[in-house]
Structures are given as structure tokens and as C-alpha cells.
Amino acid sequence: MKRFANILALAFIFMAQSAAAQTLKTVKGRGVLNCGSNGTLAGFGLPDANGKWAGLDVDLCRAVAAAIFNDAEKVKFVPLSAKDRFTALQSGEVDLLARDTTWTVSRDSSLGLNFVGVNYYDGQGFMVRKALNVNSALELNGASVCVQQGTTSELNLSDFFRTHNMQLKSVTFATANEAVKAYDAGRCDAYTTDGSSLYSERLRLANANDHILLPEIISKEPLGPAVRQGDDQWFDIVKWTLFAMINAEELNITSKNIDEMKASTDPDIKRFVGSDGNYGEQLGLPKEWAVSIVKLVGNYGEVFERNVGSGSPLKIDRGLNKLWNKGGIQYAPPIR
Ligand SMILES: N[C@@H](CCC(=O)N[C@@H](CS)C(=O)NCC(=O)O)C(=O)O
């Protein structure tokens, strides 16, 4: 009787899983992953003059395509504004949202989506003109601040001013383009957004050197990819794609040495490359899913440096985004 109940329970779990596990099937059938991305943010998501997309989030999308298709180019990028990004995921227009999006409880619980992890630990900051002679955000009493609608930046901004009993004139814009242009034209004393975006947007100003970033970081902005709720297999695939990139860095597996690594006798590396165990199959992916990710896109460190770090115009320090065993907080559960 107990055995029968167990079999029945397993059958139900299996049925529930196969009913929900539609996204991978849809993506495979379509032959391409639809990825919601930022279309105007250098370092995170931006097409170049030839239409070739680049960025940390863009590479996360490519890594998911690599894991599924062993082809990192099977991605259609859909540029999304801050305001429209969640509807695009909810409606099924995109399979995955990777657009410098902060993981918060309200977004996680009320929008029908799930955040899979954090691909960039960020925090909100301020940029001002050097000529304003301000060295701290605490000197911004009475200042006008340009900010983008539909972002976490709006609430953090008003919280910060209220907490410090400072007067705020916030000037809001629907897009980053408008907000940055208005700031550059002198319509606001300061511009506020995620710290990483400040590095990126500063490069778009008429004279980048006339502006400084103030030292205060006023919020936690864990940026990460999100998927629709209700498809655990798809949730796992995107989650473990990110974890594979982080684990690869920890195991010193790079896009350059991945072929040699396939012959490694190290047990962790054997599990990673698929010569031991069947972790890819368990996820619904090919055996060499993690090899494809690293070979075609790179490990987390390579992707970080290329897009936002030392190998990019942004030159952002790894900071919190260093691995946990190198002084940062990037940490992935093991592949085993
Ligand atoms: N991480 C914050 C902010 C995200 C955000 O939209 N940031 C602006 C800062 S520049 C942006 O990317 N705008 C680009 C655009 O709208 O084209 C959030 O999730 O709300």
C-alpha cells in the first residue's frame, strides 16, 4: 500500500513537471532563445554599429543558448525599457529577462516571475559635475536629481533624502537616454542610478572628465536574470548556467583551456565537463552543457572583465563581484 502511494506520488510529480516544463521545449522547437535585455546600456546590453550585441547580461543569454544548442548565437535579443521589462516576460514575449534588474521581494512575489541568482552585485550611487564642488551625497540638500521611471532608483532616492532630512527635487524620465541627456544639459544637479550604470552612462556625456561619482552607495542592487514562475526545469537551467560560469572560474576553467580540461582527472572538473555523472541530462540538457558555456562564452571572470572590467571601457573593479574565496561574494553551489 505504502509502495503504491509512493509510486503514485512520483507519477504526480512527474506529470506536474512535464506539464510545467514547456519553456525548454518551446525554445528548442523555435531553435532560438528570446532574451529580454537592455538595449542602451554599455557593459550590460547594447548592440554595436553592426548589430552585434554585447554585455554581461547579453553573455548570460548567450550562455543559456550555448548550454541548450551548443551554439551561443541562437539568441534573439529583445531590447526592453525599465517599465516594459516585466510584462515582456509575463506575456511570453521573452523566455528570460537579463536586464540589470534588481531582485526585490515585491518583484519576486507579485509579478509571476522568479529571480535565478545574482550576476552583478551593485548599489545605487550619484554623479555630479565637478564644478558643483560637492564631495558627498550628504551635501545634496535642495538638489535636483535626474532619475529614470520604473526603476528601484526612484524609491531609494526619495528614501535617502527623507532619511537625511534633505529637500529633493527629483526629475523623472521614461528612458535612460532622456535622463542622461537632461543631466548633461544641466537640468539637474545630479544623476542617480545603479553604480555600474553610472560608469557606463558617464562615457556618454559630452565631457566625461567634468563629472565625478560620489562615494556613497545608498542601496543594495543585486542584479540578476529572471524567468516566469511555474516552470522549474527552465528555472534550474538558467540558474545552473549562471552557477556553471561562476564554478568554472573557481575551478580555473577558461574558454582557452577548456579542451585540455576535458582530460583532467580532478573529480570536480570531471563532473563539470561531463566525463563523470549525468548532470546535464538531469537538467534536460546535453552532457557537455557546461563545456559549451565556457567554450563559447567564457567563465564568469572572463565575461566580467570583457564587458565591464579591465578589458572594457568601463574599467569597473571586481569589488563585491570577486569570487567568495578571493574577497568577494560571488559563490555558486557545486556541480555534483
Ligand atoms: N537595477 C534597477 C535599475 C535598472 C535600470 O533600468 N537602470 C537604468 C539605468 S541607466 C537603465 O538601465 N536604463 C536603460 C534604458 O532605459 O534604456 C532596477 O532593476 O530597477
Side-chain angles (χ1 to χ4, degrees), residues 139-152:
E139 296 168 38
L140 288 176
N141 191 11
S144 53
V145 185
C146 284
V147 64
Q148 189 179 346
Q149 282 163 12
T151 62
T152 48

Side-chain angles (χ1 to χ4, degrees), residues 136-334:
S136 158
L138 296 166
E139 296 168 38
L140 288 176
N141 191 11
S144 53
V145 185
C146 284
V147 64
Q148 189 179 346
Q149 282 163 12
T151 62
T152 48
S153 324
E154 281 186 281
L155 179 62
N156 295 325
L157 173 66
S158 56
D159 283 355
F160 179 76
F161 273 69
R162 199 175 312 116
T163 311
H164 293 95
N165 290 315
M166 305 194 303
Q167 287 293 320
L168 167 69
K169 288 190 222 94
S170 73
V171 190
T172 58
F173 298 87
T175 67
N177 265 336
E178 292 168 284
V180 173
K181 269 203 192 118
Y183 166 73
D184 208 12
R187 276 189 64 193
C188 307
D189 299 310
Y191 172 60
T192 188
T193 184
D194 297 343
S196 61
S197 302
L198 289 177
Y199 280 86
S200 174
E201 302 292 12
R202 182 159 62 166
L203 299 175
R204 298 207 285 159
L205 301 175
N207 286 306
N209 287 330
D210 293 351
H211 304 263
I212 54 161
L213 308 189
L214 297 177
E216 287 82 4
I217 296 297
I218 66 164
S219 69
K220 290 191 289 187
E221 306 293 325
L223 310 180
V227 294
R228 264 183 308 284
Q229 261 172 23
D231 186 341
D232 287 353
Q233 181 197 38
W234 186 243
F235 179 62
D236 282 347
I237 287 174
V238 180
K239 182 167 53 180
W240 282 93
T241 296
L242 173 62
F243 289 163
M245 295 170 88
I246 297 170
N247 277 319
E249 182 181 8
E250 189 176 332
L251 296 169
N252 291 315
I253 305 175
T254 70
S255 57
K256 308 270 169 335
N257 69 16
I258 181 74
D259 286 327
E260 296 145 49
M261 287 294 184
K262 283 204 242 171
S264 170
T265 53
D266 178 301
D268 283 328
I269 297 178
K270 284 177 78 172
R271 286 187 279 263
F272 187 94
V273 300
S275 59
D276 183 17
N278 59 343
Y279 308 105
E281 288 92 328
Q282 287 171 6
L283 286 165
L285 297 173
K287 198 172 187 55
E288 296 208 342
W289 65 289
V291 171
S292 301
I293 293 171
V294 179
K295 189 167 178 156
L296 303 174
V297 185
N299 72 32
Y300 180 77
E302 291 181 282
V303 168
F304 187 99
E305 296 303 347
R306 166 166 86 226
N307 289 300
V308 296
S310 52
S312 79
L314 276 64
K315 308 250 173 296
I316 306 180
D317 192 74
R318 276 288 290 267
L320 279 181
N321 292 295
K322 287 190 190 122
L323 293 185
W324 64 282
N325 56 0
K326 297 270 164 61
I329 56 173
Q330 279 294 359
Y331 180 104

Side-chain angles (χ1 to χ4, degrees), residues 38 40 85 99-102 107 148 151-152 176 193-194 201:
N38 200 315
T40 63
R85 58 186 147 171
R99 187 210 171 277
D100 54 309
T101 295
T102 307
R107 288 174 174 177
Q148 189 179 346
T151 62
T152 48
T193 184
D194 297 343
E201 302 292 12

